[in-house]
Amino acid sequence: PEPGRCAHFVLRKRRFCRMVPAPGRRFCGEHALEEEQNDRRRIPCPLDPKHTIYEDQLQKHLKKCNSREKPKPVYFVQDINAGLKDVAEIPEKQVPLSSLSIEELQNLIIKLKKASNGLELHLEEQILSHQALQEALNDPKNGEPAFKHLKQQASILGNMEKLHLLGPGRCFVEFGAGRGKLSHWVDVALENVESVQFLLVERATTRFKVDGKHKRRDSIFERLQVDIQHLCLNKVPILEKKKLPVVGIGKHLCGAATDLALRCLVESYTTCCDGEEEEPAPKRSRAAQTEVAPHNSAGNKSPTADHKPVAGIVIALCCHHKCDWTHYVGREFFKSVGLGPVEFHYFQRMSSWATCGMRETTSKASTSEDSEDQTNDTEEHEQALSRTESGSDTLQGILSVEERKEIGCLCKRLIDHGRIEYLQQRGYKAALQYYTESAVSLENVLLTAVPSHSLIPEPT
C-alpha cells in the first residue's frame, strides 16, 4: 500500500484501498475488521451491511445512517403505478428458459410469430440531431463513449423538437434521471425560453450529478428521490402550484421502469390532476381517460379546464429482459392475441437474444474496430444475463445467431406494441422509431407519444 493509505487490497479493482486510516491504524474505517482491536469491535451495519460501524456506537449510528428509513415525501403513494393487483394471474413458479425442451421452445416461437403477424415490425429511422449539442459533438476532447451518448441525446432532442415539445411553459420530467444529462441538454436547448422546470426522478442517490451546471434563473431543477412505482406526480408541490403541461422523457429507461413511467403519466397523474376533492372512480371508462389529453373537451368538470396535463412522452427503450408482467402496461394486448404471463415471461427472456447474438457475432471479429465499441457500450444498463439464461448453450445447433437475433427483436417489438396500444387506447398518438444507429447503441428504439388532439404539422 501507499504510505498513509489503507492496507486492504481490493480484489475487484486489483489495487489497495486509497482511504486514509486514523493515526496509528493500518486500515480505514470500512476495513477495520481486518485489524486486531482489543478495545472496540466493528460490525456490519444492520441497515446496510456494505459498511461497518463500532458496536458500541450502534444505536447512535442507526439514527443517522443514510440507509435508515426516512419520512416519505408528499408525492409518495405506495404502489400507485404498480399495475396488476390480482396475484392470481402471476404463475407461482417460472421455469428457466434453458430448461425448455426443443418442442416447447419451437411452440413458443410459433406463438410469437403468430401473435406478431400483421404488426408493423419495420420501424422508420428518425436519426436526428440538435444544434444545442453541436459544440460538444465537435469537441475532440470527448472520447468515443461520450460521443455515443451525445449522439443519442442529440437525436432525442431532435425528435422532441420535431414533435414541438421543446418550448416555454413546460415541465420536463426525466425518469431514471441518473446524473441528469438529458435534462441538462434540454435546458441548454431552451436557453432563451422562459417558465421551464425540470423534475429529475431517480430512486438511488447519484454521484457526479450535472445539476450544478444549471445557472439560468428561468429554469428550475428539482430532484425526486423515489421509485417510479410510488410516484404520484399530481402531489409534487411545484406541479400542484404551477399546473404546467408535463413532458415525460427518459434515456434508456430500463425494463419495467418504462411501464411504471407510462402508467405514472397516463393514469395516476392525468386522471387525478384535478385535485384530491374528486375521488378517482375504480372503473373509469376509456372516454373519460382520454379527456385528460391536452385538448380538453367541453363538459370537463375540472376548474382548470385549459390545463394540459401531459404534452408528450419521449423515452429511449432499454432492457426488455427486465420487464415484469405485474407492471407491464400491455397486458390487455397480450391477452387479445391469446398470450398470458407464462408466454410473456419467456418472451422477455428471449428478447435478450436481439443484443446478445449481436455481441457474440462482433466479439469474434477481433479485427473490427466496431466490435470493441459495441462490446464496451454498456450504456447505463448492461445486460447481465448469464449464458444459461440467454440459452446460448441450449440452442447450439438449433438456432443460428442470426435466427436468435431475429427472434429477440420480434420479442422486443411485441412487448413494445403492447405499450403503443396502451397509449393509443388512452388518447395518444404513439410511435416507435430507430433514433440512432446500432453501432452507437444496440438499444436504439425511441418511443414517442403526443395527445391525439394535438395537431403536429409535418416538417417541410
Side-chain angles (χ1 to χ4, degrees):
E2 299 178 15
R5 301 289 179 174
C6 178
H8 173 79
F9 187 78
V10 186
L11 288 174
R12 181 172 60 87
K13 298 183 177 180
R14 299 180 183 179
R15 62 167 174 78
F16 285 95
C17 173
R18 292 174 180 168
M19 299 295 288
V20 179
R25 302 287 189 184
R26 294 181 58 241
F27 296 90
C28 68
E30 292 304 308
H31 305 119
L33 285 173
E34 301 178 27
E35 191 169 13
E36 284 290 335
Q37 295 185 31
N38 298 324
D39 50 346
R40 304 175 75 187
R41 189 168 74 95
R42 292 189 72 89
I43 60 172
C45 172
L47 299 177
D48 182 7
K50 292 181 181 178
H51 65 276
T52 61
I53 55 174
Y54 285 113
E55 187 176 28
D56 56 6
Q57 291 186 340
L58 174 60
Q59 295 306 318
K60 181 180 178 182
H61 174 79
L62 292 177
K63 294 178 182 178
K64 63 179 182 179
C65 178
N66 288 333
S67 299
R68 72 189 186 281
E69 186 174 356
K70 301 177 180 68
K72 297 291 189 295
V74 293
Y75 46 79
F76 181 97
V77 178
Q78 185 72 36
D79 293 330
I80 188 170
N81 304 313
L84 186 62
K85 300 295 191 297
D86 185 8
V87 294
E89 285 194 41
I90 306 173
E92 293 184 4
K93 186 178 181 181
Q94 301 283 13
V95 179
L97 189 62
S98 56
S99 301
L100 295 179
S101 65
I102 297 175
E103 292 76 18
E104 289 172 324
L105 184 61
Q106 288 174 337
N107 286 335
L108 272 176
I109 295 173
I110 291 171
K111 284 185 178 181
L112 172 66
K113 292 183 177 179
K114 183 179 178 181
S116 304
N117 188 31
L119 301 183
E120 182 56 55
L121 302 175
H122 301 287
L123 308 184
E124 291 185 8
E125 280 194 356
Q126 294 287 348
I127 303 175
L128 307 177
S129 190
H130 196 278
Q131 186 62 35
L133 289 94
Q134 289 310 304
E135 184 178 346
L137 285 168
N138 296 327
D139 189 349
K141 294 181 181 178
N142 287 318
E144 188 64 22
F147 181 71
K148 288 183 176 184
H149 285 293
L150 289 168
K151 285 193 71 174
Q152 294 173 70
Q153 289 154 348
S155 184
I156 291 174
L157 262 67
N159 278 276
M160 291 175 68
E161 187 172 53
K162 182 180 178 182
L163 294 171
H164 303 277
L165 296 177
L166 294 178
R170 303 271 170 91
C171 176
F172 296 89
V173 182
E174 183 179 357
F175 294 94
R179 296 174 59 194
K181 275 295 188 82
L182 184 55
S183 292
H184 166 72
W185 289 116
V186 173
D187 185 48
V188 172
L190 299 174
E191 185 177 4
N192 299 315
V193 175
E194 296 181 352
S195 188
V196 177
Q197 67 184 45
F198 295 87
L199 293 177
L200 280 62
V201 182
E202 179 60 62
R203 66 181 178 182
T205 54
T206 308
R207 301 174 65 192
F208 309 116
K209 297 185 286 288
V210 297
D211 304 21
K213 294 184 178 181
H214 313 296
K215 304 298 183 182
R216 290 200 304 118
R217 296 181 180 178
D218 295 335
S219 60
I220 301 172
F221 278 76
E222 181 179 344
R223 278 193 172 260
L224 308 180
Q225 188 175 340
V226 62
D227 194 310
I228 306 170
Q229 181 171 330
H230 313 300
L231 172 61
C232 184
L233 276 178
N234 68 304
K235 290 182 180 291
V236 176
I238 197 166
L239 279 179
E240 273 190 314
K241 180 181 178 182
K242 294 195 174 182
K243 300 291 185 184
L244 295 177
V246 163
V247 178
I249 60 176
K251 177 175 176 285
H252 287 193
L253 196 55
C254 189
T258 293
D259 299 298
L260 295 173
L262 293 178
R263 193 175 284 109
C264 176
L265 291 164
V266 174
E267 292 187 37
S268 68
Y269 178 55
T270 53
T271 58
C272 304
C273 63
D274 297 338
E276 294 187 24
E277 308 85 28
E278 184 179 345
E279 289 293 328
K283 292 184 179 180
R284 187 162 183 154
S285 67
R286 287 180 180 173
Q289 288 173 341
T290 55
E291 284 179 4
V292 299
H295 214 70
N296 282 286
S297 58
N300 191 339
K301 297 180 181 180
S302 168
T304 56
D306 58 345
H307 171 43
K308 304 175 182 179
V310 177
I313 301 170
V314 179
I315 294 175
L317 303 174
C318 179
C319 298
H320 294 71
H321 67 277
K322 291 186 178 180
C323 290
D324 190 294
W325 178 257
T326 305
H327 306 311
Y328 181 51
V329 296
R331 291 193 304 270
E332 292 304 318
F333 161 70
F334 257 64
K335 292 176 184 177
S336 70
V337 292
L339 303 175
V342 175
E343 290 82 7
F344 180 84
H345 165 73
Y346 291 122
F347 292 164
Q348 52 109 194
R349 306 312 294 175
M350 291 159 65
S351 70
S352 66
W353 297 351
T355 51
C356 288
M358 177 79 76
R359 285 197 175 100
E360 184 175 336
T361 304
T362 56
S363 63
K364 293 178 181 178
S366 58
T367 58
S368 171
E369 293 181 3
D370 291 338
S371 65
E372 183 179 356
D373 293 338
Q374 290 183 354
T375 304
N376 294 332
D377 180 24
T378 57
E379 295 295 342
E380 291 86 350
H381 309 274
E382 177 61 40
Q383 292 201 353
L385 289 178
S386 66
R387 287 176 63 84
T388 302
E389 286 179 297
S390 63
S392 56
D393 291 332
T394 309
L395 299 170
Q396 290 296 337
I398 303 173
L399 296 171
S400 67
V401 171
E402 283 303 315
E403 288 174 326
R404 260 188 293 163
K405 178 188 171 186
E406 181 183 350
I407 291 169
C409 289
L410 208 56
C411 291
K412 283 176 174 282
R413 297 294 78 80
L414 190 68
I415 292 172
D416 290 339
H417 185 81
R419 291 163 168 166
I420 293 297
E421 280 210 0
Y422 168 82
L423 290 167
Q424 289 173 343
Q425 290 171 0
R426 283 155 179 80
Y428 289 85
K429 181 181 178 182
L432 299 168
Q433 51 264 314
Y434 293 118
Y435 78 103
T436 192
E437 301 91 348
S438 59
V440 173
S441 175
L442 297 177
E443 298 281 16
N444 60 341
V445 174
L446 188 71
L447 183 151
T448 61
V450 292
S452 298
H453 297 292
S454 298
L455 298 176
I456 300 186
E458 292 294 328
T460 56

